[in-house]
Amino acid sequence: MFITAAAAMGGFLFGYDSSVINGAVEAIRDRYSIGSGTLAQVIAIALIGCAIGAATAGRIADRIGRIRCMQIAATLFTISAVGSALPFALWDLAFWRIIGGFAIGMASVIGPAYIAEVAPPAYRGRLGSFQQAAIVIGIAISQLVNWGILNAAHGDQRGKLMGLEAWQVMLGVMVVPAVLYGLLSFAIPESPRFLISVGRDADAKKVLADVEGKDIDLDARVAEIEHAMRSEHKSSFKDLLGSRMGFLPIVWVGIGLSVFQQLVGINVAFYYSSTLWQSVGIDPSSSFFYSFTTSIINIIGTVIAMVLVDRVGRKPLALVGSIGMAIALAVEAWAFSAHLVDGKLPNTEGVVALIAAHVFVLFFALSWGVVVWVFLGEMFPNRIRAAALGVAAAAQWIANWAITASFPSLSDWNLSGTYVIYAIFAALSIPFVLRYVKETKGKALEEMG
């Protein structure tokens, strides 16, 4: 559990960095006098770095190891936090966000892959869920820190604190978890599968004894892993290609899971929620508070998923989540269709919108938020796992970018219509899971494919 928690610190940073910008959106708009389109690009540009980091992390990890990858990501996180807190121009801020995005992309791939490779099969689902748990805790902590900083600045995102504007302090605080992630990476062992791949069998046995118990037959376990690896080769992009559809079918399933996870609009709730609530008449401090309560619901849903993922299975949770999200998003769309009165939603529609937003996040967290990461960590055959996980994660970041970059303009066009689009994607994920996704509960990684 310690090893998994340390590895999942990358997920914490992923969540923290993804959500901390929520507190700076309006301040950035005001400081640089930019419109919705330009603002969306500055917010979303980090996701381009995420896609690049995710696409390259698997190959880097196969060359230098999982732990070295974590240390590189921690260093980039730290540099990004300092740069984002001290920008001298808009392009400068965008550049540091790309650097941070690259680190997030690496962490999004290395965390699940490392945990899946270290965890015993019987507990792999629950331990794999640590990645998502860390993400949602990171989101919640960032919202709480933002709320505290905003109150210290008397409700003004551009108010002065420690010689900086409040939003700069919000971005700079990420230095603390970034450094902690780097330090923890020195306290955990390398993946036994990587150690065996580079001929360090004795070190691999020590790790296996620690994580799977000393009463197992270590020689047999190493032989099993070696046999699986001998019949395979280092994964590359070419290995993912099929004859007719471009990628192998299993890779398309991974891409589909990644894309649907984002197209339901979940990150709108974490990048723009304070701006969203302010746009329908809620004051800034209350909007930050509602963003925090949404994050708490996110944590509760994730805990539910962690308890159920190895008992109920991955596929049933995904289906329940899809149904719940589709209904909640449709209700939100109805609420936002009401005409504003003095810049505010009518009382009934406002309450319904708040409740539906929290229900949507709950169903996402207890299903797709967790099971997609678990699926991606374990659904691919050993011979293509690292490369396939990188492609699937890159697709996730591209979809995330599309939703994040388009939301400000779409909401200016029609906020209710925007949520109708997200509801349709949630509904479409149901037949996708029923037809194409296979259960992976309880299977050893060597059995996949």
Side-chain angles (χ1 to χ4, degrees):
M1 287 180 69
F2 170 77
I3 290 169
T4 302
M9 267 300 295
F12 179 92
L13 282 164
F14 168 4
Y16 195 100
D17 186 79
S18 296
S19 188
V20 72
I21 196 68
N22 192 359
V25 171
E26 292 306 308
I28 292 170
R29 187 201 299 267
D30 181 61
R31 174 163 173 169
Y32 297 106
S33 302
I34 53 177
S36 293
T38 305
L39 176 69
Q41 294 307 317
V42 173
I43 304 305
I45 200 167
L47 302 173
I48 301 299
C50 291
I52 297 170
T56 57
R59 297 295 295 153
I60 295 171
D62 281 344
R63 288 178 179 271
I64 66 173
R66 283 56 168 153
I67 299 299
R68 287 285 178 267
C69 260
M70 293 180 194
Q71 291 162 356
I72 291 170
T75 302
L76 292 176
F77 269 126
T78 305
I79 293 169
S80 170
V82 174
S84 298
L86 304 171
F88 50 81
L90 189 63
W91 69 265
D92 172 45
L93 175 62
F95 173 77
W96 296 119
R97 284 189 54 71
I98 292 174
I99 296 297
F102 187 87
I104 291 176
M106 290 184 71
S108 74
V109 170
I110 297 308
Y114 173 85
I115 292 168
E117 290 181 350
V118 171
Y123 304 103
R124 196 175 57 241
R126 261 168 286 179
L127 293 175
S129 303
F130 270 59
Q131 172 79 359
Q132 181 63 16
I135 292 171
V136 299
I137 291 171
I139 290 170
I141 295 298
S142 75
Q143 301 290 14
L144 183 60
V145 170
N146 282 359
W147 185 57
I149 291 172
L150 185 70
N151 284 327
H154 308 292
D156 183 3
Q157 291 181 23
R158 296 198 61 190
K160 292 292 184 180
L161 281 176
M162 299 180 288
L164 300 172
E165 294 183 6
W167 69 274
Q168 293 176 275
V169 178
M170 293 176 188
L171 299 182
V173 167
M174 198 178 71
V175 166
V176 176
V179 170
L180 179 60
Y181 179 43
L183 293 175
L184 284 173
S185 70
F186 287 97
I188 57 177
E190 183 54 85
S191 157
R193 284 170 178 80
F194 173 76
L195 292 172
I196 291 170
S197 74
V198 294
R200 295 168 58 187
D201 289 10
D203 291 332
K205 288 179 183 178
K206 291 177 184 176
V207 177
L208 287 168
D210 284 339
V211 299
E212 295 191 14
K214 292 182 171 58
D215 55 343
I216 67 165
D217 187 335
L218 293 175
D219 290 329
R221 190 76 181 90
V222 169
E224 177 188 1
I225 295 171
E226 282 182 329
H227 175 74
M229 295 176 73
R230 267 199 308 271
S231 61
E232 300 156 2
H233 58 282
K234 294 282 186 180
S235 58
S236 69
F237 188 78
K238 287 183 179 179
D239 296 323
L240 307 182
L241 301 179
S243 55
R244 288 182 296 174
M245 298 182 295
F247 290 122
L248 294 168
I250 190 67
V251 179
W252 279 118
V253 174
I255 291 171
L257 285 167
S258 290
V259 169
F260 272 119
Q261 189 197 48
Q262 297 303 315
L263 293 185
V264 297
I266 185 60
N267 281 309
V268 167
F270 301 124
Y271 295 152
Y272 296 114
S273 59
S274 62
T275 297
L276 173 65
W277 296 126
Q278 288 173 53
S279 74
V280 292
I282 293 174
D283 66 86
S285 290
S286 295
S287 72
F288 272 63
F289 178 72
Y290 291 137
S291 296
F292 175 64
T293 58
T294 303
S295 300
I296 297 301
I297 294 295
N298 199 12
I299 293 174
I300 292 170
T302 301
V303 171
I304 293 171
M306 292 175 71
V307 171
L308 296 179
V309 69
D310 280 326
R311 297 179 184 178
V312 175
R314 289 70 160 141
K315 191 170 178 176
L317 280 182
L319 290 169
V320 169
S322 293
I323 295 167
M325 288 190 296
I327 294 170
L329 287 165
V331 172
E332 272 196 271
W334 170 82
F336 286 131
S337 69
H339 292 292
L340 299 183
V341 180
D342 297 327
K344 296 184 178 182
L345 279 176
N347 187 57
T348 300
E349 283 82 354
V351 171
V352 169
L354 275 172
I355 293 173
H358 285 73
V359 170
F360 163 61
V361 170
L362 176 66
F363 273 99
F364 176 86
L366 65 80
S367 61
W368 284 74
V370 167
V371 298
V372 170
W373 291 111
V374 175
F375 268 130
L376 294 182
E378 63 188 18
M379 68 185 288
F380 301 115
N382 276 348
R383 67 184 181 84
I384 64 167
R385 180 171 297 115
L389 184 51
V391 168
Q396 187 176 107
W397 290 116
I398 292 169
N400 191 339
W401 171 83
I403 292 296
T404 305
S406 64
F407 178 76
S409 298
L410 283 173
S411 62
D412 286 348
W413 161 68
N414 189 320
L415 185 57
S416 177
T418 303
Y419 275 84
V420 168
I421 294 170
Y422 300 155
I424 290 170
F425 281 122
L428 288 174
S429 69
I430 298 170
F432 172 79
V433 171
L434 285 171
R435 180 164 184 180
Y436 297 111
V437 178
K438 294 181 180 178
E439 185 60 75
T440 56
K441 171 188 167 188
K443 294 183 180 179
L445 291 184
E446 284 69 33
E447 294 178 55
M448 302 301 171

